[in-house]
Amino acid sequence: MAKFSRPGDDRDVTAWESLALELARRAGIDTTESRLLSIDERSVLLLHRFDCTADRRIGYMSAMTATGHRDGEAGDYLDIVEAIEDHRRRWCSDCAELFRRVAFSVALHNTDDHLRNHGFIRADAGWQLSPAFDINPEPEPAVERQTAINGVVSAETEAEALLEFASLCHLTKPTAVSVLNEVVSAVEGWKSRAVGRGIRRAEIAEVGAFIDEQLARLRKAIRPGS
């Protein structure tokens, strides 16, 4: 599948999504395979479809369907935790994976995280989390996430909310802190990788300023005594 930048985009959204997917993989997150191309000076992101093979389709269910929500209804990551527990025999590993993904989403201020941008694929142990997809950094601080973290949608408080959310994902605090450190470490190298994708300096300054702010919030949240 190919994704193209829109003519009216004020930044190279496709290149930023490519960067987000690479950083997610570095953070230990299962993502769809991707490759960034430049065609006629426009970024094109090639994505491998994870819901089919050469000879068969693989069952796919969006988190919206799994949680029983409808378009326009507010969602919470707790709903996805409950869906994992309901549909997956090996729910513990998927809950841990979900926590890592939410932490990464916070680090990049990915607010386009509605329930259709999460999903499940059919597996031997029931429905398991699909590879992550549609991850994009949002440079505007005031934009709230579409799926709440235990009721929290604001960038100012979501880092602290992660540690409370960890226990609901059945993680101990030391394990959660370790995951957050891994996510921060993976995202810290974002700037050189953005430059390598040919993203304009003005975009890097605009989007990157808030990525760095989010990383600072995560470091503060996991600092001993916080």
mmCIF file of all heavy atoms in Angstrom, residues 165-182:
data_model
loop_
_atom_site.group_PDB
_atom_site.id
_atom_site.type_symbol
_atom_site.label_atom_id
_atom_site.label_comp_id
_atom_site.label_asym_id
_atom_site.label_seq_id
_atom_site.Cartn_x
_atom_site.Cartn_y
_atom_site.Cartn_z
ATOM 1 N N PHE A 165 -1.462 4.098 34.431
ATOM 2 C CA PHE A 165 -1.977 3.189 33.412
ATOM 3 C C PHE A 165 -1.200 1.874 33.394
ATOM 4 O O PHE A 165 -1.752 0.817 33.085
ATOM 5 C CB PHE A 165 -1.906 3.878 32.043
ATOM 6 C CG PHE A 165 -2.384 3.043 30.899
ATOM 7 C CD1 PHE A 165 -3.692 2.617 30.821
ATOM 8 C CD2 PHE A 165 -1.514 2.679 29.869
ATOM 9 C CE1 PHE A 165 -4.142 1.846 29.751
ATOM 10 C CE2 PHE A 165 -1.938 1.916 28.809
ATOM 11 C CZ PHE A 165 -3.264 1.502 28.741
ATOM 12 N N ALA A 166 0.082 1.926 33.747
ATOM 13 C CA ALA A 166 0.922 0.724 33.723
ATOM 14 C C ALA A 166 0.341 -0.393 34.581
ATOM 15 O O ALA A 166 0.340 -1.558 34.184
ATOM 16 C CB ALA A 166 2.339 1.073 34.180
ATOM 17 N N SER A 167 -0.138 -0.040 35.771
ATOM 18 C CA SER A 167 -0.685 -1.069 36.652
ATOM 19 C C SER A 167 -1.936 -1.701 36.055
ATOM 20 O O SER A 167 -2.215 -2.886 36.268
ATOM 21 C CB SER A 167 -1.001 -0.476 38.030
ATOM 22 O OG SER A 167 -2.016 0.512 37.932
ATOM 23 N N LEU A 168 -2.702 -0.921 35.280
ATOM 24 C CA LEU A 168 -3.895 -1.445 34.624
ATOM 25 C C LEU A 168 -3.532 -2.345 33.449
ATOM 26 O O LEU A 168 -4.360 -3.126 32.976
ATOM 27 C CB LEU A 168 -4.776 -0.284 34.159
ATOM 28 C CG LEU A 168 -5.221 0.650 35.299
ATOM 29 C CD1 LEU A 168 -5.938 1.869 34.736
ATOM 30 C CD2 LEU A 168 -6.119 -0.086 36.274
ATOM 31 N N CYS A 169 -2.278 -2.222 32.995
ATOM 32 C CA CYS A 169 -1.745 -3.133 31.966
ATOM 33 C C CYS A 169 -1.000 -4.307 32.614
ATOM 34 O O CYS A 169 -0.276 -5.039 31.927
ATOM 35 C CB CYS A 169 -0.805 -2.383 31.035
ATOM 36 S SG CYS A 169 -1.625 -1.198 29.955
ATOM 37 N N HIS A 170 -1.139 -4.421 33.942
ATOM 38 C CA HIS A 170 -0.558 -5.522 34.716
ATOM 39 C C HIS A 170 0.965 -5.463 34.775
ATOM 40 O O HIS A 170 1.635 -6.503 34.840
ATOM 41 C CB HIS A 170 -1.023 -6.876 34.151
ATOM 42 C CG HIS A 170 -2.503 -6.952 33.920
ATOM 43 N ND1 HIS A 170 -3.413 -7.111 34.944
ATOM 44 C CD2 HIS A 170 -3.238 -6.832 32.773
ATOM 45 C CE1 HIS A 170 -4.650 -7.119 34.445
ATOM 46 N NE2 HIS A 170 -4.563 -6.954 33.137
ATOM 47 N N LEU A 171 1.516 -4.254 34.749
ATOM 48 C CA LEU A 171 2.960 -4.062 34.851
ATOM 49 C C LEU A 171 3.314 -3.493 36.218
ATOM 50 O O LEU A 171 2.600 -2.647 36.758
ATOM 51 C CB LEU A 171 3.461 -3.102 33.770
ATOM 52 C CG LEU A 171 3.234 -3.505 32.314
ATOM 53 C CD1 LEU A 171 3.752 -2.408 31.387
ATOM 54 C CD2 LEU A 171 3.916 -4.828 32.006
ATOM 55 N N THR A 172 4.427 -3.947 36.771
ATOM 56 C CA THR A 172 4.933 -3.351 38.002
ATOM 57 C C THR A 172 5.551 -1.995 37.673
ATOM 58 O O THR A 172 5.892 -1.709 36.516
ATOM 59 C CB THR A 172 5.996 -4.235 38.660
ATOM 60 O OG1 THR A 172 7.138 -4.320 37.767
ATOM 61 C CG2 THR A 172 5.453 -5.640 38.931
ATOM 62 N N LYS A 173 5.718 -1.149 38.683
ATOM 63 C CA LYS A 173 6.305 0.166 38.425
ATOM 64 C C LYS A 173 7.732 0.049 37.888
ATOM 65 O O LYS A 173 8.079 0.763 36.924
ATOM 66 C CB LYS A 173 6.287 1.030 39.687
ATOM 67 C CG LYS A 173 6.793 2.441 39.435
ATOM 68 C CD LYS A 173 6.633 3.344 40.642
ATOM 69 C CE LYS A 173 7.139 4.749 40.330
ATOM 70 N NZ LYS A 173 6.970 5.671 41.476
ATOM 71 N N PRO A 174 8.601 -0.828 38.454
ATOM 72 C CA PRO A 174 9.948 -0.953 37.873
ATOM 73 C C PRO A 174 9.928 -1.361 36.402
ATOM 74 O O PRO A 174 10.720 -0.859 35.599
ATOM 75 C CB PRO A 174 10.605 -2.029 38.746
ATOM 76 C CG PRO A 174 9.899 -1.931 40.055
ATOM 77 C CD PRO A 174 8.475 -1.628 39.689
ATOM 78 N N THR A 175 9.034 -2.271 36.026
ATOM 79 C CA THR A 175 8.930 -2.680 34.625
ATOM 80 C C THR A 175 8.467 -1.529 33.756
ATOM 81 O O THR A 175 8.997 -1.294 32.664
ATOM 82 C CB THR A 175 7.963 -3.865 34.482
ATOM 83 O OG1 THR A 175 8.450 -4.973 35.233
ATOM 84 C CG2 THR A 175 7.831 -4.275 33.017
ATOM 85 N N ALA A 176 7.482 -0.777 34.247
ATOM 86 C CA ALA A 176 6.978 0.369 33.492
ATOM 87 C C ALA A 176 8.064 1.416 33.292
ATOM 88 O O ALA A 176 8.218 1.967 32.197
ATOM 89 C CB ALA A 176 5.776 0.979 34.217
ATOM 90 N N VAL A 177 8.824 1.686 34.332
ATOM 91 C CA VAL A 177 9.911 2.670 34.234
ATOM 92 C C VAL A 177 10.951 2.200 33.225
ATOM 93 O O VAL A 177 11.478 2.999 32.435
ATOM 94 C CB VAL A 177 10.550 2.908 35.614
ATOM 95 C CG1 VAL A 177 11.862 3.681 35.491
ATOM 96 C CG2 VAL A 177 9.582 3.659 36.514
ATOM 97 N N SER A 178 11.250 0.911 33.227
ATOM 98 C CA SER A 178 12.210 0.356 32.265
ATOM 99 C C SER A 178 11.716 0.548 30.840
ATOM 100 O O SER A 178 12.483 0.936 29.945
ATOM 101 C CB SER A 178 12.433 -1.130 32.553
ATOM 102 O OG SER A 178 13.311 -1.699 31.615
ATOM 103 N N VAL A 179 10.426 0.296 30.597
ATOM 104 C CA VAL A 179 9.851 0.487 29.263
ATOM 105 C C VAL A 179 9.930 1.953 28.852
ATOM 106 O O VAL A 179 10.314 2.278 27.718
ATOM 107 C CB VAL A 179 8.390 0.000 29.231
ATOM 108 C CG1 VAL A 179 7.714 0.420 27.918
ATOM 109 C CG2 VAL A 179 8.318 -1.513 29.396
ATOM 110 N N LEU A 180 9.601 2.848 29.767
ATOM 111 C CA LEU A 180 9.638 4.275 29.447
ATOM 112 C C LEU A 180 11.057 4.732 29.121
ATOM 113 O O LEU A 180 11.265 5.538 28.214
ATOM 114 C CB LEU A 180 9.070 5.082 30.612
ATOM 115 C CG LEU A 180 7.569 4.899 30.875
ATOM 116 C CD1 LEU A 180 7.132 5.723 32.084
ATOM 117 C CD2 LEU A 180 6.745 5.278 29.662
ATOM 118 N N ASN A 181 12.028 4.218 29.851
ATOM 119 C CA ASN A 181 13.419 4.545 29.554
ATOM 120 C C ASN A 181 13.810 4.060 28.153
ATOM 121 O O ASN A 181 14.532 4.756 27.421
ATOM 122 C CB ASN A 181 14.350 3.934 30.597
ATOM 123 C CG ASN A 181 14.488 4.794 31.835
ATOM 124 O OD1 ASN A 181 14.651 6.013 31.747
ATOM 125 N ND2 ASN A 181 14.425 4.183 33.006
ATOM 126 N N GLU A 182 13.357 2.880 27.778
ATOM 127 C CA GLU A 182 13.659 2.338 26.452
ATOM 128 C C GLU A 182 13.019 3.194 25.360
ATOM 129 O O GLU A 182 13.632 3.452 24.312
ATOM 130 C CB GLU A 182 13.159 0.894 26.351
ATOM 131 C CG GLU A 182 13.962 -0.085 27.197
ATOM 132 C CD GLU A 182 13.342 -1.467 27.219
ATOM 133 O OE1 GLU A 182 12.416 -1.714 26.420
ATOM 134 O OE2 GLU A 182 13.770 -2.311 28.025
#
